[in-house]
Amino acid sequence: MDHIATPAPGVLLSSGPYERIVAGLRDAVETMSGLDPDAVLTAPPVIAREVLETAGYIRSFPQLVGSVHSFRGSKRDWRALAGREDWHRSQEISDLMLLPAACYHVYPQVAGRSVPVSRFCVHATCFRQEATGERGRMRSFRMSELVFLGPPADCLAWRDGWIERMASWLRGLGLDVSVELADDPFFGPGDHLMRDTQREQQLKWEMRVPVGGGVVQAIASCNLHLDHFGGAFGFTTDGGPAHSACVAFGLDRIALALIERHGREPDAVSRCLREKEGTRT
Ligand code: AMP
Ligand code: ZN
């Protein structure tokens, strides 16, 4: 029930039993969100390029970005290119990018609006152009996120509450996670000063656990964005930029960690998910 490799490194196929674990995890996140179905969104694997530009993602993570290019020439131009190895010579950047994280679909939904307190749950297939392909580091992977928008103190309290709740939920699934302040800065590499400031502000916490093959990966993260997205997309609260926070569940990495912990027998993992309170499978 493990992954099946494809000719593209980091792009994996999964079997039925593995997918049932992922589906169980997605359901669990939805149940924990406590949201009504209208606030639960499923995103396609692409997003408007202007959203990632506005969000500052491309500036911060240029090496991870995947862009969609397409052909806009005439049929005649195409005939001249078709069959050539460099057929992509005339491809041009389009209005779409591959989606790097689920929560980017939320911010444009509230752009320019006043948001007292808003919550969302977003399921997505994400893409990151990872340089390495060790276990659990894929280029295409599934992520579910809970997003909170509102006044600064509420965002901080929500994010901090989720650090506890996430760790205890994962431990309840038998995963011995360590909760760590993320080493990599949240808004991109930046300079040392920026990196230190971000660490001091404790913006990003990660849950780390073995995912097999002797590799430890972050399987989830709890993030505080301060007014980064409120400022960029112009959503406000109490007349000023709203703050935002998100918690991200890396479904593929959690599935790998569960398999590593409970063994390859599909029923063992499904049973463990079913038995966990608040989890439907
Ligand atoms: P991040 O936005 O970097 O905190 O990512 C949220 C979660 O997505 C991480 O905690 C991982 O569980 C998952 N994730 C991030 N990058 C990858 C990847 N390359 N392959 C699989 N899962 C990933
Ligand atoms: Zn997020």
Side-chain angles (χ1 to χ4, degrees):
M1 77 155 154
D2 228 320
H3 283 126
I4 299 142
T6 74
V11 178
L12 306 170
L13 303 177
S14 46
S15 64
Y18 179 93
E19 270 319 286
R20 278 199 288 285
I21 297 173
V22 171
L25 290 169
R26 207 180 274 128
D27 274 357
V29 173
E30 230 170 280
T31 305
M32 283 191 286
S33 78
L35 292 171
D36 67 56
D38 280 353
V40 178
L41 310 170
T42 299
V46 289
I47 188 163
R49 171 157 58 96
E50 62 171 79
V51 172
L52 293 192
E53 287 169 348
T54 303
Y57 186 84
I58 297 167
R59 200 168 49 242
S60 299
F61 300 103
Q63 76 288 3
L64 295 180
V65 161
S67 46
V68 175
H69 285 60
S70 63
F71 181 70
R72 280 195 250 148
S74 65
K75 264 191 187 159
R76 216 175 107 148
D77 297 339
W78 181 248
R79 269 200 297 275
L81 283 171
R84 291 175 55 133
E85 267 187 28
D86 62 347
W87 60 267
H88 39 76
R89 188 158 55 101
S90 303
Q91 298 290 108
E92 284 175 37
I93 190 133
S94 76
D95 60 338
L96 292 179
M97 303 288 289
L98 299 181
L99 179 67
C103 68
Y104 286 104
H105 270 298
V106 166
Y107 314 117
Q109 297 300 318
V110 291
R113 294 205 339 231
S114 167
V115 285
V117 159
S118 311
R119 292 165 215 255
F120 300 85
C121 172
V122 193
H123 304 300
T125 298
C126 296
F127 174 90
R128 295 181 188 179
Q129 181 67 352
E130 300 283 4
T132 60
E134 80 270 12
R135 191 163 171 84
R137 188 168 302 282
M138 302 152 200
R139 287 195 287 169
S140 184
F141 55 93
R142 275 71 62 82
M143 188 193 294
S144 293
E145 286 200 70
L146 305 181
V147 186
F148 186 100
L149 316 173
D154 294 2
C155 284
L156 178 64
W158 181 87
R159 195 282 307 258
D160 284 352
W162 266 103
I163 297 173
E164 293 292 315
R165 194 169 174 201
M166 174 94 89
S168 104
W169 178 68
L170 290 169
R171 286 180 184 134
L173 292 174
L175 302 177
D176 186 17
V177 290
S178 66
V179 181
E180 294 173 26
L181 194 54
D183 276 336
D184 56 329
F186 187 64
F187 300 123
D191 57 20
H192 282 295
L193 190 65
M194 192 169 149
R195 199 175 328 194
D196 292 348
T197 313
Q198 289 181 358
R199 271 188 75 85
E200 264 164 41
Q201 291 175 312
Q202 306 197 337
L203 299 182
K204 185 180 189 79
W205 291 88
E206 289 182 327
M207 320 279 142
R208 298 175 64 81
V209 76
V211 293
V215 178
V216 172
Q217 298 279 20
I219 59 173
S221 68
C222 299
N223 307 287
L224 185 63
H225 316 130
L226 305 176
D227 63 355
H228 178 81
F229 294 119
F233 290 91
F235 52 89
T236 57
T237 192
D238 299 335
H243 279 210
S244 60
C246 70
V247 297
F249 298 75
L251 303 186
D252 284 289
R253 285 188 182 170
I254 299 174
L256 289 178
L258 288 172
I259 293 167
E260 170 69 4
R261 170 70 180 77
H262 298 288
R264 295 203 134 50
E265 201 246 308
D267 277 354
V269 178
S270 300
R271 207 178 312 120
C272 149
L273 272 173
R274 232 179 0 250
E275 280 164 9
K276 180 83 190 118
E277 202 190 339
T279 305
R280 295 177 271 132
T281 53

